[in-house]
């Protein structure tokens, strides 16, 4: 067997990108990540060639035309909104990574998934490395997630968790979280990049060998990215992100990666004192209530594949300050500044003499350009002190030339608007923002006797 000698010249290696250096540094010189440079494994200095092994008949390479294209059977998790994000259910042997900010409700959601899966007839093993079994039991009592087929274990040792798998033989494994579990086969404390990689690799190997779906909870860094080595996201089959605002009870689950389904689905949940509840139709959450008010307009936004009506509110106030205030909440401030410039130049609205406040209802954040026209209409109606009649919505992207561009999935937005009772939708058919504002004037609600007339 042919051999050759090699020398070790770089005893330290970055676990993220593989960059090597002769001495330890706190920050990788290639990917600029902190704390990822670790001591490389000692090499023997001998590289041996690998002998070829004939594959078995089951693993032999076949023409792609002979590969079975039938869908992999899925099993429902019992939570319809979670199944929607996964693409229709949990695939046997799938490795799912769920990340999110601390306190957003990841453990509460997965405890509900575990309880519903147990009620459906499957055995579930919930391994918690952050809480004791008594703490998990107390939360399960509060949320109504008690079931005899739901097994709890408070472990941070990988070998012990694998022993629990052999003993319980679950149909679903939940590990909360992967950053709290350590393996004796790897150096470093729990949460170290090498430990996270070793623990995830071992659990995913067990998942593939036993057709056991595994859900791993992942921590996030202060910038919102998943903590640990980037290889963790490559190893798993599905990456989901659980997000929400602490000031509101609404929560979203988004699929960032999915080998078994689409990545543009969104699951909606409502965090309550009794646990987490599904919101199959969140349309009413982002709409105001009461009589029409000047300075409001509804747009149809897309969250993944889901069309949602969102009310935009604007308020304009006369000012003598040389620099009028521009305050936004739930929308992009730079986008609002551009819309104000377009209204000032193309629609001849004297907005440079007014403070402008723009916000959304329900804590939702609008980031797509399709909300431009609704923001413009809300600002113009606040300036004119006119309210839109019920059942009127606006969809469209504004250009600097004052034109209205069509938006993606326009037919789906119109269908959702019609389902919710919006009989009038102003969009790109008006061509310019001036024409759209004139069209909106025709749909103005009767002026209130308490409001002053517009300019």
């Amino acid at each position: 067997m042919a051999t050759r000698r090699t020398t070790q010249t770089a005893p330290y290696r970055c676990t993220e990108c593989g960059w090597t250096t002769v001495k330890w540094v706190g920050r990788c010189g290639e990917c600029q990540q902190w704390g990822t440079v670790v001591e490389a494994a000692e090499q023997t200095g001998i590289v041996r060639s690998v002998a070829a092994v004939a594959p078995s008949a089951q693993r032999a390479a076949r023409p792609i035309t002979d590969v079975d294209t039938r869908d992999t059977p899925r099993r429902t998790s019992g939570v319809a909104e979670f199944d929607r994000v996964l693409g229709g259910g949990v695939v046997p042997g799938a490795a799912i990574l769920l990340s999110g900010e601390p306190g957003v409700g990841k453990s509460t959601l997965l405890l509900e998934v575990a309880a519903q899966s147990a009620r459906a007839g499957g055995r579930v093993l919930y391994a918690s490395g952050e809480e004791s079994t008594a703490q998990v039991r107390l939360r399960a009592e509060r949320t109504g997630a008690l079931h005899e087929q739901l097994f709890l274990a408070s472990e941070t040792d990988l070998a012990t968790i694998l022993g629990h798998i052999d003993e319980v033989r679950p149909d679903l494994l939940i590990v909360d979280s992967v950053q709290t579990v350590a393996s004796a086969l790897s150096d470093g404390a729990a949460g170290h990049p090498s430990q996270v990689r070793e623990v995830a690799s071992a659990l995913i190997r067990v998942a593939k060998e036993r057709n056991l779906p595994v859900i791993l909870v992942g921590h996030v860094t202060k910038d919102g990215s998943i903590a640990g080595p980037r290889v963790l996201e490559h190893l798993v089959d599905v990456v989901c992100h659980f997000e929400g605002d602490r000031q509101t009870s609404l929560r979203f689950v988004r699929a960032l990666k999915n080998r078994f389904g689409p990545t543009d689905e969104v699951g909606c949940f409502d965090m309550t004192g009794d646990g987490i509840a599904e919101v199959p139709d969140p349309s009413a959450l982002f709409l105001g209530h009461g009589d029409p008010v000047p300075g409001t307009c509804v747009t149809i936004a897309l969250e993944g594949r889901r069309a949602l009506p969102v009310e935009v509110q604007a308020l304009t106030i006369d000012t003598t300050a040389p620099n009028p205030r521009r305050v936004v909440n739930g929308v992009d401030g730079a986008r609002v500044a551009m819309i104000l410039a377009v209204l000032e130049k193309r629609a001849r609205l004297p907005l440079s003499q007014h403070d402008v406040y723009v916000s959304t209802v329900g804590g939702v954040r609008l980031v797509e350009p399709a909300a431009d026209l609704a923001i413009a209409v809300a600002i113009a109606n606040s300036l004119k002190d006119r309210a839109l009649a019920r059942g009127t919505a606006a969809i469209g992207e504004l250009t600097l030339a004052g034109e209205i561009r069509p938006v993606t999935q326009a037919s789906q937005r119109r269908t959702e608007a019609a389902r919710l009772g919006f009989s009038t939708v102003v969009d790109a058919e008006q061509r310019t923002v001036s024409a759209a504002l004139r069209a909106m004037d025709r749909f103005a609600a009767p002026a209130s006797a308490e409001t002053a007339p517009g300019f």
Side-chain angles (χ1 to χ4, degrees):
M1 181 180 295
T3 61
R4 68 177 186 274
R5 290 282 174 180
T6 61
T7 45
Q8 172 108 7
T9 58
Y12 295 93
R13 175 184 294 272
C14 174
T15 57
E16 290 282 344
C17 64
W19 178 74
T20 58
T21 179
V22 295
K23 63 178 182 179
W24 182 86
V25 292
R27 188 177 188 179
C28 174
E30 181 69 23
C31 64
Q32 303 299 314
Q33 295 292 323
W34 289 95
T36 59
V37 178
V38 297
E39 188 172 4
E42 183 179 356
Q43 297 182 2
T44 61
I46 300 178
V47 179
R48 296 180 171 86
S49 60
V50 179
V53 178
S56 61
Q58 293 80 4
R59 303 181 62 181
R62 294 177 295 167
I64 191 172
T65 54
D66 295 342
V67 177
D68 190 2
T69 58
R70 289 178 297 179
D71 292 336
T72 304
R74 300 175 183 267
R75 185 171 64 246
T76 178
S77 65
V79 180
E81 290 295 302
F82 192 58
D83 289 341
R84 174 199 290 268
V85 178
L86 297 180
V90 180
V91 176
I96 303 168
L97 177 64
L98 179 66
S99 65
E101 296 286 341
V104 74
K106 302 183 298 296
S107 300
T108 304
L109 171 63
L110 292 184
L111 188 59
E112 180 67 18
V113 170
Q116 294 295 343
S117 298
R119 294 188 183 105
R123 281 194 167 195
V124 182
L125 174 60
Y126 190 104
S128 176
E130 301 177 347
E131 299 175 287
S132 66
T133 54
Q135 290 176 307
V136 179
R137 166 65 189 260
L138 289 174
R139 188 169 70 249
E141 288 181 347
R142 176 173 55 86
T143 61
L146 295 177
H147 197 276
E148 60 182 7
Q149 291 300 313
L150 173 54
F151 295 81
L152 298 180
S154 178
E155 295 292 348
T156 58
D157 180 65
L158 176 63
T160 306
I161 293 178
L162 297 178
H164 284 303
I165 295 175
D166 291 334
E167 181 180 354
V168 176
R169 297 188 177 277
D171 300 307
L172 174 65
L173 171 65
I174 299 176
V175 179
D176 184 9
S177 65
V178 68
Q179 277 84 8
T180 61
V181 181
S183 172
L185 300 179
S186 181
D187 297 331
H192 193 274
S194 60
Q195 283 284 4
V196 174
R197 184 171 56 249
E198 175 65 28
V199 171
S201 300
L203 292 175
I204 293 172
R205 184 169 57 251
V206 171
K208 303 303 180 184
E209 291 175 353
R210 306 191 180 192
N211 272 343
L212 170 65
V214 176
I215 302 179
L216 307 176
V217 177
H219 294 170
V220 296
T221 60
K222 59 184 179 182
D223 62 353
S225 59
I226 300 176
R230 192 73 176 180
V231 70
L232 176 62
E233 299 175 52
H234 293 284
L235 288 174
V236 298
D237 302 307
V238 182
V239 178
C240 296
H241 186 66
F242 197 36
E243 62 185 33
D245 192 350
R246 290 181 179 270
Q247 281 70 39
T248 63
S249 61
L250 188 65
R251 301 290 186 269
F252 290 106
V253 177
R254 305 177 188 272
L256 306 180
K257 169 188 174 182
N258 194 349
R259 290 174 177 164
F260 311 116
T263 57
D264 54 358
E265 283 287 6
V266 178
C268 298
F269 298 89
D270 186 25
M271 185 66 69
T272 64
D274 297 329
I276 192 166
E278 300 178 66
V279 185
D281 189 7
S283 301
L285 298 177
F286 311 122
L287 296 177
H289 303 283
D291 296 331
V293 178
T296 63
C297 184
V298 174
T299 187
I300 307 298
L302 280 183
E303 285 288 346
R305 293 185 177 184
R306 180 173 279 175
L308 301 175
V310 179
E311 182 175 298
V312 180
Q313 297 182 343
L315 181 65
T316 57
I317 302 176
D318 294 339
T319 181
T320 58
N323 297 316
R325 298 191 65 187
R326 305 292 189 247
V327 181
V328 301
N329 180 36
V331 293
D332 185 12
R335 197 82 189 174
V336 172
M338 187 199 75
I339 295 172
L340 292 174
V342 172
L343 291 175
E344 179 97 23
K345 180 71 174 180
R346 308 299 178 185
R348 301 292 189 266
L349 299 183
L351 294 168
S352 59
Q353 305 169 11
H354 295 78
D355 293 334
V356 179
Y357 302 83
V358 180
S359 179
T360 57
V361 173
V364 67
R365 180 165 181 81
L366 293 175
V367 296
E368 58 174 348
D372 288 355
L373 184 57
I375 296 174
V377 170
I379 295 172
N381 284 351
S382 176
L383 193 65
K384 299 176 182 180
D385 202 18
R386 295 178 182 174
L388 287 177
R390 291 185 181 276
T392 306
I395 307 170
E397 175 187 357
L398 293 187
T399 68
L400 293 179
E403 299 174 344
I404 303 177
R405 292 178 53 85
V407 298
T408 59
Q409 303 293 331
S411 60
Q412 181 181 354
R413 298 175 197 258
R414 279 184 164 273
T415 302
E416 180 67 11
R419 186 183 73 85
L420 296 171
F422 291 92
S423 57
T424 304
V425 178
V426 178
D427 53 15
E429 293 181 359
Q430 302 297 328
R431 297 188 178 276
T432 65
V433 63
S434 299
L437 294 180
R438 288 194 298 269
M440 285 297 189
D441 288 342
R442 296 196 300 268
F443 305 116
S448 173
E450 299 178 357
T451 60
F455 61 89

